[in-house]
Amino acid sequence: MSRKDAINNLFLKRPEASGTATPRGSERVRTGAISAMGASLQEMSENAKQAAQLQKQLAEGDAIVSIDPKKIDHSRITDRIPTEVDLAFDQLVASIAENGQQVPVLVRPSPDTPGRYQIAYGRRRLRAAEKLGLGVKAIVRNLSDSDLIVAQGRENLDRKDLSFIEKAFFARNLEDDGCDRHTIISALATDKADISRYIAVARRMPDVLVKKIGPAPKSGRARWLALADKLEQQAALATAERALDDPSLRSADSDTRFDAVLNALQSRKPKVRPSIGVWKAPGGKRGARIEAKDGRTALVFEEKTVPEFAHFVAGKLDDLFNEFQANGSGGEKP
């Protein structure tokens, strides 16, 4: 039995077997209550992960110190895609304001500037402390560049998994920064084939568009590939950006924005080159077509049907134009 079926059995089905009458209105629990219970279970799971992480750090003998957030440099390799609407971050700020910072961040001493630090993981907690004007609780370790990157990637996977496009951009950013494939594989806890697929998709997606869409956690590789294919159409990027300018999307989640862009591109019909006529040679085969587009008219000859005829016509253009004017046509427009 699935988890969903189990919940339905417990809360949604009417108690017909017992034969006991139940008051009207209490036949089932509202779906809102189920959603609230799901949110509570998720929060309990997150709290359990935090407690386990803190217990592990304490068991390893790590000393926790308070550091001024202004002394900590943010990672030069971005993994999360920032969004204008981030309810989870707002909740984190409220939680730290009320209960304090429960899990320390991990930093290393800056190899370039004495007295400064570089963040390995915990960037959202660092941002929250900055916003609240508090010192950030941190563990300080001597980490190599590779260790720093792996710690950053693994912490994201352990706490809240990156979306497909975030993994893709993280892998691409690491490669652009000069990281070898072994380090990238360790940071994302995957294999070489997956890393190649992540990077291939990321290199096809415009950064500006992905930042406007956001992480879109429900959209996997197949849908991002479909979007990348659509963006190869002429003027597709402009169409996508117009779709995102819709005021109704300003407070929408990133998956809704992704759907809006993909739907806008799927509804675009390929432009058919307009034609105003076809000329057939005496044998009945098409010898030329006349096309009109964007204020221009073109006479396109079929070389296989009428070879060299285009050169002949080109040599007769002056005579043809004079005949055209003599017939009272071709006067200049006022």
Side-chain angles (χ1 to χ4, degrees), residues 139-151:
I139 293 170
V140 183
R141 288 184 190 163
N142 290 315
L143 302 171
S144 66
D145 290 345
S146 179
D147 291 338
L148 188 75
I149 290 167
V150 171

Side-chain angles (χ1 to χ4, degrees), residues 42 80-83 85-86 88 160-167 198 210 212-224 252-259:
Q42 183 176 0
R80 296 290 181 189
I81 296 174
T83 58
V85 180
D86 191 345
K160 184 178 181 181
D161 202 5
L162 298 172
S163 69
F164 172 83
I165 199 63
E166 285 180 312
K167 290 178 182 178
Y198 286 141
V210 173
K212 287 183 178 181
I213 292 175
K218 296 179 182 178
S219 300
R221 176 173 173 265
R223 302 194 77 211
W224 280 102
D253 60 55
S254 60
D255 282 299
T256 301
R257 291 195 293 271
F258 180 95
D259 289 339

Side-chain angles (χ1 to χ4, degrees), residues 8-9 11-18 20 22 24 26-28:
N8 286 339
N9 287 337
F11 297 103
L12 299 181
K13 291 186 176 180
R14 298 175 61 179
E16 297 173 351
S18 64
T20 304
T22 51
R24 185 178 183 86
S26 63
E27 294 177 348
R28 63 181 179 88

Side-chain angles (χ1 to χ4, degrees), residues 242-254:
R242 282 196 300 271
L244 289 170
D245 287 337
D246 187 336
S248 66
L249 294 177
R250 290 174 184 169
S251 59
D253 60 55
S254 60

Side-chain angles (χ1 to χ4, degrees), residues 272-294:
V272 178
R273 180 174 293 179
S275 175
I276 61 174
V278 173
W279 172 74
K280 291 185 179 181
K285 294 183 178 180
R286 186 173 69 178
R289 66 180 186 275
I290 303 97
E291 298 175 350
K293 180 182 179 182
D294 299 332

Side-chain angles (χ1 to χ4, degrees), residues 24-35:
R24 185 178 183 86
S26 63
E27 294 177 348
R28 63 181 179 88
V29 176
R30 293 181 180 273
T31 55
I34 300 299
S35 299

